[in-house]
């Protein structure tokens, strides 16, 4: 049963130096055509299920004008929302107050804000067009209209960054009193400005020290580390993202978005012209039983608490411990069982790939 | 065809001077192929040959040409263009009566121009010098002409100017072949005397022996004898290649063709051997036969142990068409089961490794290439070893000798200084400099062969900005102060990383090697010490830190397929590494032990 929806809005007013997502400079004509195609895609695929989590991401969804947002939310109205829904909308700190009010009035109940950094020096390096003062103001405005379930993103491990810098940034971010923090170590990916400028990643040992500092500091302030990169106050985990990590089904609508239902994982085209013509899907993978188990493991073990053995065995009708070389990995202390859950040993979380590769390929 | 109207000729050149394209144009002008059929470099049939622009296996083609109301048969005998295959070159030259010497109008004479020219002169060939690529803007025809005249004593009017690209000069060239190259002077009434100058393997017919008939004739059903080996076969088919295989009933003196005689393996046919008739033998074999000599050896191992049989089959298949490749099973404690393979030279080794990976889809670990050492034991016995692992214990060794070469480094004079430095670094002994012109010189050094097996050629090219070229000849064995240097990874000796080094250079080499291995071996879950040791004495050490970060942090709006693909790719990469104890070592590491300088990270 598919009960989650992701919608991608690929427009931005500004292109960040690290971003490798599919995005375009905001263009009125393109937005118009895009929203029309998006509506068509939703009508073609959505079968009327009750939707429990909805996520509008980008790009920068908040770059749309108010009238465009109204068009977008007409599409949102197509979905039947469950009584207990989570509806996340991604914004940049430059969002204006009218749009904030609009989101509040149109069922949005969770905000994810691209804060990324506090210090101007680093914001400039990342190509962000705001300062921390603006972030503080907007968070206040959101709180004032009654939107207090807020996530902020933080990118660390920037060139020349020190542990002291990071500590200061964390202190500032914690002062925002948000419920959820996502942290990402800077990845220099192809097709980004950083890659073109040949920026090099920082030393691996320092990167790990930073990760440990983030964990320590956020835990001290009452955050729970519940996924490799994600921290939340209790009961404020991102329900939508948990759908991914729990290997549950979801619709993906819009340019370059991905979805999963009926044993198929698909990814839409990144070509705007093709998308507007209605050629949505670029590639898809029909999953075998083995693929499904593989996904269940590589996703589920991203959660710090791991995978519940009983639920897993019931859902997939196998004994999790019999799969792959899991017993050996437990013996080697790479995996462990605690409170009925199988999970990656906490000290190995930051090298989880070296464990997860056991569950892919031949 | 009467012998007077036959011309047998080769084309010789330094690599990349345009030999194969000249051949293509000759095929075109003699209408052996229509323009439409011409692929670049018709005679180079293997993909690798075309890609690298080199000729590895010989192909010989029979062409027809009308000239002054007479019909001529031209046999173009193609030769490989690299020093590794110089014996093959010399045999195909022995099958010819003339040679076209191709020199690039932009490059002038280079090392292999000279080496090949001398081989041609040794075989008493008539030489037709041509300057090719005259269409290029950087062509300096007058300068190259002067080099040809000064170096080899050609006359100005002997030199033909061509552009294989535009076709200029090709007709003149073909007619010069008829005018200048002598016709064969064999005697058709004498007993059969034919030179084997190549062979290739066909899965239906077995070995196709390529021969030049000097005297007599050969017919289907003749009983032929290979004079060096004494083996006798019955001829089942005869072919010429023009350039498709065409059956003929006989080959007569002066002609060139393929002989099929139900021969099972290439090893039974030796290039340079003489064929005669079993019941009507010629007086004596043609001169110049020598068995093939492998000079470079390496261990080849599949990265996955279960691919051992596939590797063996692949080597056997390659050997069918390349008798100069040798291999025998070898076992390494670190790498498992593999093969010790012998090659004629470095290029030969490269080509074989590439074909194994590309055509047979094998992931290989190649250990550092080595030479054959002569070890004199304390009891006076001399043993030859082709791998550091086979070195007897130090107490039993009296001396170790290594093969030396004499180089001909051909270079513009401005690079002489740095090139001499390179040769000194490689334990070279200076012999002499010859100036061909004030701007060009040949540098002669004696060098241990093992010093050039790794990066000498690359260094030579980079020092001289690509202008220097070199070839070498083996000049015999000399005793050296050599020791075996072992490498310990995480405390255990990895036999495949052992090398034999000069004692005076060992300390430095050890330091470089452990530092390079530290860069090349990825971090593992625990920290790993790398040590270089001579006997039980550690001479250098470096530590690989433990893995700290190996994680996909970002989650792309639900694009988990991408996540899985990244993990699969990572796993694929691991497959190309060799698990030794609990450490994963990538392929490059096994070659790093030969490097003289540190990798710049």
């Amino acid at each position: 049963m598919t009960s989650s929806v992701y919608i991608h809005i690929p427009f931005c007013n500004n292109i960040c130096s690290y971003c490798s997502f599919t995005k375009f400079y905001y263009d009125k004509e393109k937005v118009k055509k895009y929203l029309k195609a998006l509506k068509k895609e939703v009508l073609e695929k959505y079968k009327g299920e009750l939707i429990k989590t909805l996520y509008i991401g980008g790009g920068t969804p908040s770059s749309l004008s108010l009238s465009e947002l109204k068009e977008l939310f007409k599409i949102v109205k197509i979905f039947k929302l469950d009584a207990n829904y989570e509806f996340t909308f991604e914004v940049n700190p430059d969002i204006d107050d009218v749009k904030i009010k609009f989101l509040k009035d149109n069922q949005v109940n969770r905000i994810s804000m691209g804060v990324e950094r506090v210090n101007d020096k680093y914001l400039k390096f990342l190509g962000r067009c705001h300062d921390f003062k603006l972030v503080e103001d907007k968070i206040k405005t959101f709180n004032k209209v009654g939107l207090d379930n807020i996530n902020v993103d933080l990118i660390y491990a920037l060139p020349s960054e020190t542990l002291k810098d990071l500590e200061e940034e964390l202190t500032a971010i914690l002062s925002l009193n948000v419920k959820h923090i996502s942290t990402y170590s800077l990845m220099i990916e192809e097709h980004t400005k950083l890659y073109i400028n040949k920026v090099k990643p920082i030393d691996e040992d320092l990167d790990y020290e930073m990760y440990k500092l983030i964990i320590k500091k956020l835990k001290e302030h009452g955050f729970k580390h519940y996924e490799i990169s994600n921290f939340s106050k209790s009961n404020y985990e991102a329900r939508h993202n948990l759908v991914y990590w729990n290997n549950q089904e979801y619709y993906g609508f819009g340019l370059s978005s991905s979805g999963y239902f009926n044993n198929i994982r698909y990814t839409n085209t990144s070509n705007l012209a093709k998308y507007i013509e209605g050629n949505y899907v670029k590639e898809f993978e029909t999953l075998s039983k083995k693929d499904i188990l593989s996904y269940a493991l590589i996703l589920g073990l991203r959660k710090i608490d791991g995978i519940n053995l009983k639920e897993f065995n019931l859902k997939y009708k196998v004994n999790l411990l019999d799969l792959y070389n899991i017993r050996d990995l437990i013996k080697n202390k790479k995996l462990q069982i605690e409170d009925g859950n199988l999970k990656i040993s906490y000290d190995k979380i930051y090298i989880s790939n070296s464990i997860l590769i056991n569950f892919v390929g031949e | 065809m009467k012998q007077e109207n036959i011309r047998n000729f080769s084309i010789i050149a330094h690599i990349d001077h345009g030999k194969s394209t000249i051949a293509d144009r000759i095929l075109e002008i003699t209408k052996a192929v229509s323009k439409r059929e011409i692929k670049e470099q018709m005679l180079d049939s293997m993909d690798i040959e075309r890609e690298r622009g080199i000729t590895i296996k010989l192909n010989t083609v029979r062409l027809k040409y009308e000239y002054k109301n007479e019909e001529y048969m031209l046999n173009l005998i193609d030769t490989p263009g690299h020093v590794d295959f110089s014996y093959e070159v010399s045999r195909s030259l022995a099958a010819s009566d003339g040679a076209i010497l191709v020199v690039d109008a932009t490059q002038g004479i280079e090392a292999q121009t000279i080496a090949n020219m001398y081989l041609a002169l040794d075989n008493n060939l008539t030489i037709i010098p041509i300057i090719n690529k005259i269409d290029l803007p950087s062509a300096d025809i007058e300068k190259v002409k002067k080099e040809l005249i000064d170096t080899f004593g050609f006359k100005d009017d002997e030199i033909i100017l061509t552009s294989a690209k535009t076709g200029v000069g090709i007709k003149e060239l073909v007619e010069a072949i008829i005018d200048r190259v002598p016709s064969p002077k064999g005697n058709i009434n004498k007993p059969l005397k034919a030179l084997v100058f190549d062979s290739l393997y066909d899965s239906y017919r077995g070995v196709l022996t390529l021969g030049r008939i000097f005297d007599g004739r050969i017919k289907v059903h003749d009983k032929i004898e290979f004079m060096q080996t004494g083996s006798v076969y019955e001829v089942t088919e005869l072919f010429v290649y023009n350039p498709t295989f065409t059956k003929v009933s006989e080959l007569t003196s002066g002609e060139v063709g393929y002989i099929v005689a139900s021969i099972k393996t290439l090893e039974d046919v030796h290039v340079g051997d003489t064929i005669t008739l079993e019941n009507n033998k010629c007086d004596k074999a043609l001169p110049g036969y020598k068995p093939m000599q492998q000079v470079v050896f390496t261990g080849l191992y599949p990265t996955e142990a279960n691919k051992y049989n596939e590797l063996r089959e692949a080597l056997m298949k390659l050997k069918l068409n390349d008798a100069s490749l040798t291999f025998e099973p070898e076992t390494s404690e670190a790498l498992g089961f593999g093969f010790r393979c012998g090659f004629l030279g470095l290029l030969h080794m490269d080509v074989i490794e590439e074909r194994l990976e590309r055509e047979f889809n094998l992931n290989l670990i190649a250990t550092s290439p080595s030479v054959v050492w002569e070890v004199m034991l304390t009891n006076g016995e001399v043993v030859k070893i082709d791998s550091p692992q086979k070195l007897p214990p130090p107490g039993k060794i009296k001396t170790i000798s290594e093969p030396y070469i004499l180089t001909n480094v051909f270079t513009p004079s401005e690079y002489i200084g740095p090139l001499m430095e390179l040769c000194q670094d490689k334990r070279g002994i200076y012999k002499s400099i010859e100036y061909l012109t004030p701007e060009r010189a040949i540098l002669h050094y004696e060098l241990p062969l093992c010093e050039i097996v790794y990066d000498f050629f690359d260094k030579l090219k980079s020092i001289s900005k690509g202008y220097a070229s070199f070839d070498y000849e083996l000049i015999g064995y000399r005793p050296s102060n050599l020791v075996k240097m072992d490498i310990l990874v995480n405390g255990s000796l990895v036999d495949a990383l052992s090398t034999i080094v000069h004692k005076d250079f060992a300390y430095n080499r050890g330091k470089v090697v452990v530092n390079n291995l530290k860069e090349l071996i990825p971090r593992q879950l625990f920290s790993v010490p790398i040590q270089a040791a001579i006997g039980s004495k550690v001479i250098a050490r470096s530590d690989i830190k433990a893995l700290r970060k190996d994680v996909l942090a970002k989650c792309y709006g639900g694009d988990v397929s991408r996540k899985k693909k990244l993990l699969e790719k990572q796993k694929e990469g691991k497959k190309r590494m060799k698990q030794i104890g609990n450490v994963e070592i990538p392929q490059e590491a096994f070659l790093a032990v030969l490097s003289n300088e540190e990798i710049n990270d």
Side-chain angles (χ1 to χ4, degrees):
Chain A
M1 183 75 171
T2 317
S3 55
S4 288
V5 170
Y6 174 82
I7 295 175
H8 191 72
I9 303 296
F11 300 101
C12 293
N13 287 319
N14 165 57
I15 304 293
C16 304
S17 64
Y18 56 89
C19 178
S20 63
F21 285 82
T22 304
K23 75 272 169 181
F24 300 92
Y25 276 111
Y26 174 84
D27 174 295
K28 214 169 177 50
E29 275 310 299
K30 276 187 193 156
V31 172
K32 198 173 157 191
K33 286 183 189 157
Y34 182 74
L35 290 176
K36 216 173 125 190
L38 181 66
K39 183 169 184 181
K40 214 170 128 229
E41 192 197 0
V42 170
L43 288 173
E44 269 178 36
K45 288 187 188 159
Y46 174 58
K47 291 190 208 61
E49 300 94 331
L50 216 49
I51 298 302
K52 291 180 180 159
T53 75
L54 176 62
Y55 194 108
I56 299 183
T60 315
S62 63
S63 68
L64 298 191
S65 71
L66 191 65
S67 62
E68 287 158 354
L69 282 178
K70 283 178 182 163
E71 279 306 305
L72 173 63
F73 276 73
K74 275 186 203 161
I75 301 171
V76 169
K77 293 280 179 320
I78 297 169
F79 299 108
K80 279 184 221 149
L81 291 186
D82 184 85
N84 180 25
Y85 70 87
E86 177 196 85
F87 180 1
T88 308
F89 197 90
E90 270 182 12
V91 303
N92 259 4
D94 61 1
I95 184 170
D96 68 41
D97 293 0
V98 180
K99 288 184 198 169
I100 292 177
K101 182 82 176 34
F102 176 84
L103 295 178
K104 168 65 189 168
D105 294 343
N106 285 276
Q107 298 177 298
V108 172
N109 59 14
R110 185 171 182 271
I111 293 296
S112 178
M113 188 185 280
V115 172
E116 318 304 352
R117 291 301 291 200
V118 173
N119 188 309
D120 284 345
K121 175 177 91 175
Y122 293 122
L123 284 168
K124 197 167 160 231
F125 170 80
L126 295 174
R128 303 288 295 174
C129 289
H130 58 83
D131 59 18
F132 192 64
K133 177 77 181 52
L134 189 66
V135 170
E136 290 177 314
D137 287 352
K138 295 301 169 182
I139 298 274
K140 269 183 208 144
T141 313
F142 274 116
N143 285 332
K144 211 160 67 191
V145 301
L147 274 169
D148 66 350
N149 184 0
I150 296 174
N151 164 62
V152 297
D153 290 342
L154 166 72
I155 299 181
Y156 64 96
L158 307 190
S160 85
E161 184 178 3
T162 63
L163 284 168
K164 188 167 161 282
D165 290 346
L166 180 62
E167 171 124 39
E168 282 168 18
E169 299 258 328
L170 289 168
T171 305
I173 291 211
L174 285 163
S175 74
L176 297 171
N177 270 319
V178 293
K179 305 286 195 250
H180 193 284
I181 299 175
S182 297
T183 63
Y184 306 108
S185 160
L186 179 69
M187 267 171 88
I188 296 148
E189 295 184 84
E190 281 181 58
H191 315 299
T192 64
K193 290 184 192 172
L194 295 183
Y195 185 86
I196 292 160
N197 293 332
K198 299 197 166 67
V199 172
K200 292 278 163 269
I202 66 160
D203 174 70
E204 182 175 326
D205 296 295
L206 179 58
D207 189 315
Y208 181 54
E209 290 305 314
M210 288 180 173
Y211 185 65
K212 286 196 293 192
L213 174 68
I214 291 166
I215 292 172
K216 178 172 165 274
K217 187 106 179 166
L218 297 191
K219 280 187 174 171
E220 278 170 12
H221 286 78
F223 281 87
K224 187 183 174 204
H225 188 196
Y226 75 99
E227 194 263 357
I228 294 176
S229 310
N230 287 282
F231 301 82
S232 79
K233 291 284 170 73
S234 64
N235 299 321
Y236 281 96
E237 292 91 352
R239 283 169 55 197
H240 183 80
N241 287 343
L242 280 168
V243 167
Y244 304 148
W245 301 322
N246 288 330
N247 203 27
Q248 290 164 330
E249 296 183 340
Y250 54 95
Y251 286 110
F253 296 112
L255 200 66
S256 76
S257 66
S258 298
Y260 169 40
F261 53 83
N262 291 341
N263 282 342
I264 289 174
R265 284 192 179 271
Y266 65 89
T267 300
N268 276 357
T269 177
S270 308
N271 180 321
L272 188 61
K274 277 193 184 153
Y275 183 78
I276 288 171
E277 282 167 19
N279 293 322
Y280 310 120
V281 176
K282 184 182 73 185
E283 55 189 356
F284 65 92
E285 181 190 8
T286 307
L287 306 183
S288 64
K289 175 89 197 241
K290 197 179 154 207
D291 295 329
I292 292 171
L293 293 172
S294 168
Y295 275 115
L297 281 162
I298 64 174
L299 293 166
L301 291 172
R302 292 185 65 83
K303 294 179 294 176
I304 305 301
D305 286 341
I307 299 169
N308 185 278
L309 289 170
K310 223 185 257 171
E311 285 172 19
F312 187 99
N313 295 350
L314 205 66
K315 180 170 173 186
Y316 302 106
K317 301 185 177 60
V318 290
N319 183 359
L320 175 52
L321 300 181
D322 291 339
L323 298 177
Y324 298 96
N325 51 345
I326 285 179
R327 285 181 207 277
D328 289 339
L329 292 167
I330 294 171
K331 221 177 282 166
N332 298 334
K333 301 206 164 53
K334 289 179 180 166
L335 295 177
Q336 62 184 69
I337 296 175
E338 204 178 294
D339 302 333
N341 286 0
L342 178 75
K343 58 189 192 181
I344 291 181
S345 302
Y346 197 50
D347 64 337
K348 306 257 181 339
I349 280 286
Y350 216 46
I351 51 169
S352 58
N353 280 2
S354 59
I355 298 163
L356 298 180
I357 56 167
N358 287 289
F359 314 132
V360 297
E362 283 149 45
Chain B
M1 169 121 0
K2 55 181 178 182
Q3 277 196 87
E4 292 73 47
N5 286 14
I6 299 176
R7 299 291 181 274
N8 293 320
F9 69 101
S10 306
I11 308 177
I12 53 178
H14 187 77
I15 193 161
D16 275 346
H17 280 200
K19 193 184 76 175
S20 296
T21 36
I22 287 280
D24 289 350
R25 288 299 94 78
I26 294 175
L27 260 61
E28 207 177 283
I29 204 166
T30 57
K31 303 185 180 65
V33 286
S34 69
K35 204 152 196 166
R36 194 159 45 80
E37 291 171 317
I38 289 211
K39 303 186 263 188
E40 283 285 293
Q41 302 178 14
M42 276 294 300
L43 293 182
D44 296 349
S45 51
M46 278 191 279
D47 281 349
I48 294 180
E49 290 186 0
R50 256 198 294 279
E51 269 173 40
R52 295 194 168 203
I54 52 170
T55 308
I56 301 156
K57 284 303 286 186
L58 305 171
N59 265 319
T60 286
V61 60
R62 175 189 281 195
L63 308 164
K64 270 191 291 197
Y65 194 74
E66 285 279 326
Y67 182 54
K68 293 179 181 164
N69 295 322
E70 291 266 342
E71 189 175 279
Y72 288 88
M73 177 203 289
L74 306 179
N75 291 311
L76 163 52
I77 295 167
D78 205 12
T79 62
H82 192 275
V83 54
D84 285 0
F85 307 101
S86 66
Y87 179 65
E88 287 185 290
V89 177
S90 88
R91 289 308 86 197
S92 39
L93 293 178
S96 316
D97 300 303
I100 301 169
L101 177 70
V102 184
V103 181
D104 186 319
T106 67
Q107 307 288 323
I109 294 173
E110 297 195 60
Q112 288 153 34
T113 315
I114 296 190
N116 286 321
M117 177 70 183
Y118 289 150
L119 282 176
L121 292 177
D122 283 349
N123 285 289
N124 286 322
L125 302 192
T126 301
I127 312 288
I128 302 175
I130 69 171
I131 300 178
N132 189 34
K133 304 193 189 177
I134 57 165
D135 58 300
L136 292 181
S138 53
D140 190 342
I141 297 167
E142 286 315 308
K143 187 173 151 239
V144 177
K145 242 186 199 173
K146 190 166 181 311
E147 283 184 3
L148 281 169
I149 293 167
D150 292 351
T151 315
F152 301 124
F154 288 115
K155 293 190 195 70
D156 194 327
D157 61 0
E158 276 183 275
I159 301 167
I160 298 174
L161 305 181
T162 64
S163 161
K165 203 166 146 206
T166 64
V168 168
I170 303 298
K171 184 161 185 286
E172 192 190 346
L173 171 63
V174 172
E175 291 171 3
I177 294 166
I178 296 171
D179 286 336
R180 297 190 212 168
V181 175
S183 60
K185 300 285 183 287
N187 185 340
I188 198 164
N189 299 315
K190 277 193 177 175
L192 174 68
K193 185 190 270 188
L195 171 70
V196 176
F197 65 93
D198 191 24
S199 56
L200 58 96
Y201 188 81
D202 177 278
S203 41
Y204 296 104
R205 298 192 165 85
V207 178
L208 277 62
T209 306
L210 191 47
R212 150 85 192 257
I213 317 299
F214 278 91
D215 289 325
R217 61 176 80 220
I218 184 170
K219 297 190 300 295
V220 175
H221 302 309
D222 278 348
K223 286 251 168 66
I224 53 168
E225 182 181 318
F226 288 86
M227 294 179 82
Q228 295 293 343
T229 57
S231 48
V232 174
Y233 296 93
E234 185 183 323
V235 176
T236 56
E237 284 168 300
L238 295 167
F239 289 97
V240 295
Y241 184 73
N242 58 357
T244 48
F245 283 102
T246 309
K247 264 194 200 189
V248 292
S249 56
E250 66 169 4
L251 293 168
T252 58
S253 66
E255 293 188 338
V256 172
Y258 290 89
I259 301 154
V260 183
S262 308
I263 304 169
K264 292 291 176 294
T265 71
L266 277 188
E267 282 160 300
D268 297 339
V269 177
H270 296 257
V271 168
D273 202 348
T274 304
I275 298 176
T276 190
L277 292 180
E278 189 197 18
N279 53 16
N280 186 13
K281 285 183 194 152
C282 62
D283 49 354
K284 63 174 192 233
L286 291 155
Y289 172 79
K290 60 178 184 189
M292 248 169 302
Q293 193 70 58
Q294 287 73 28
V295 292
V296 180
F297 288 80
T298 186
L300 293 181
Y301 294 83
T303 44
E304 293 152 275
N306 59 7
K307 294 282 168 75
Y308 173 80
N309 283 326
E310 279 177 49
L311 175 58
R312 188 180 55 203
E313 301 224 328
L315 285 167
M316 280 163 68
K317 278 186 187 148
L318 287 182
K319 192 166 170 62
L320 286 177
N321 268 312
D322 181 356
S324 58
L325 166 70
T326 63
F327 60 94
E328 56 177 51
E330 177 182 76
T331 318
S332 153
E333 276 171 41
L335 300 175
F337 294 102
F339 295 93
R340 193 82 192 158
C341 302
F343 307 95
L344 297 181
L346 299 170
L347 180 80
H348 188 212
M349 177 175 77
D350 264 8
V351 166
I352 294 288
E353 285 177 17
E354 204 171 316
R355 290 187 68 188
L356 286 169
E357 298 216 328
R358 200 187 303 188
E359 293 170 29
F360 298 93
N361 202 15
L362 291 162
N363 287 335
L364 297 177
I365 299 270
T367 62
S368 55
S370 64
V371 298
V372 178
W373 292 276
E374 274 182 12
V375 181
M376 184 185 274
L377 304 178
T378 42
N379 65 8
E381 196 190 332
V382 175
V383 291
K384 289 200 171 209
I385 64 154
D386 58 20
S387 147
Q389 282 111 281
K390 295 178 188 164
L391 196 69
K396 287 197 171 169
I397 297 173
K398 196 166 167 213
T399 54
I400 306 177
S401 299
E402 60 182 335
Y404 267 69
I405 55 164
L406 178 67
T407 66
N408 302 304
V409 175
F410 199 87
T411 177
S413 343
E414 61 202 281
Y415 304 116
I416 288 176
L419 287 173
M420 288 177 80
E421 216 169 288
L422 171 68
C423 292
Q424 307 283 14
D425 283 352
K426 300 282 188 187
R427 298 194 277 134
I429 301 160
Y430 171 78
K431 298 313 281 186
S432 63
I433 296 182
E434 273 177 66
Y435 282 89
L436 292 167
T437 65
E439 297 85 36
R440 284 173 170 265
I442 309 180
L443 202 52
H444 298 291
Y445 263 87
E446 289 174 357
L447 284 166
L449 175 65
C450 74
E451 294 288 340
I452 68 154
V453 298
Y454 182 59
D455 56 0
F456 183 79
F457 188 67
D458 293 342
K459 286 253 174 76
L460 179 102
K461 284 288 176 195
S462 78
I463 287 172
S464 66
K465 305 200 167 67
Y467 286 111
S469 50
F470 100 116
D471 69 21
Y472 60 85
E473 54 186 294
L474 287 165
I475 52 171
Y477 278 80
R478 295 181 187 174
S480 289
N481 192 4
L482 300 172
V483 289
K484 178 161 156 249
M485 181 172 83
D486 295 319
I487 301 293
L488 292 86
V489 174
N490 207 21
S492 39
L493 192 151
V494 180
D495 53 6
L497 289 173
S498 296
T499 44
I500 290 177
V501 297
H502 194 275
K503 203 168 179 189
D504 296 347
F505 292 73
Y507 179 77
N508 259 330
R509 182 64 74 85
K511 218 172 72 185
V512 170
V513 169
V514 295
N515 285 334
N516 285 349
L517 287 173
K518 181 185 154 195
E519 295 300 329
L520 288 170
I521 299 175
R523 292 185 177 207
Q524 317 276 319
L525 292 173
F526 40 88
S527 80
V528 176
I530 309 279
Q531 295 159 297
I534 294 172
S536 57
K537 189 178 166 219
V538 173
I539 57 167
R541 170 178 175 141
S542 189
D543 290 273
I544 301 171
K545 288 198 235 171
L547 179 70
R548 288 296 175 215
K549 185 188 174 197
D550 183 14
V551 67
L552 284 168
K554 246 174 176 177
C555 191
Y556 279 78
D559 188 0
V560 296
S561 303
R562 180 168 183 264
K563 207 156 245 169
K564 183 160 157 251
K565 270 184 213 148
L566 288 171
L567 287 170
E568 280 163 0
K569 210 171 138 198
Q570 187 173 344
K571 185 166 189 166
E572 238 358 84
K574 260 178 146 35
K575 261 195 201 162
R576 294 182 62 88
M577 293 198 231
K578 196 81 196 177
Q579 179 99 25
I580 291 178
N582 43 10
V583 179
E584 277 160 344
I585 302 184
Q587 282 170 299
E588 308 86 79
F590 293 94
L591 290 175
V593 290
L594 283 187
S595 181
N596 249 338
E597 56 189 50
E598 300 204 7
I599 299 167
N600 297 315
D601 188 33

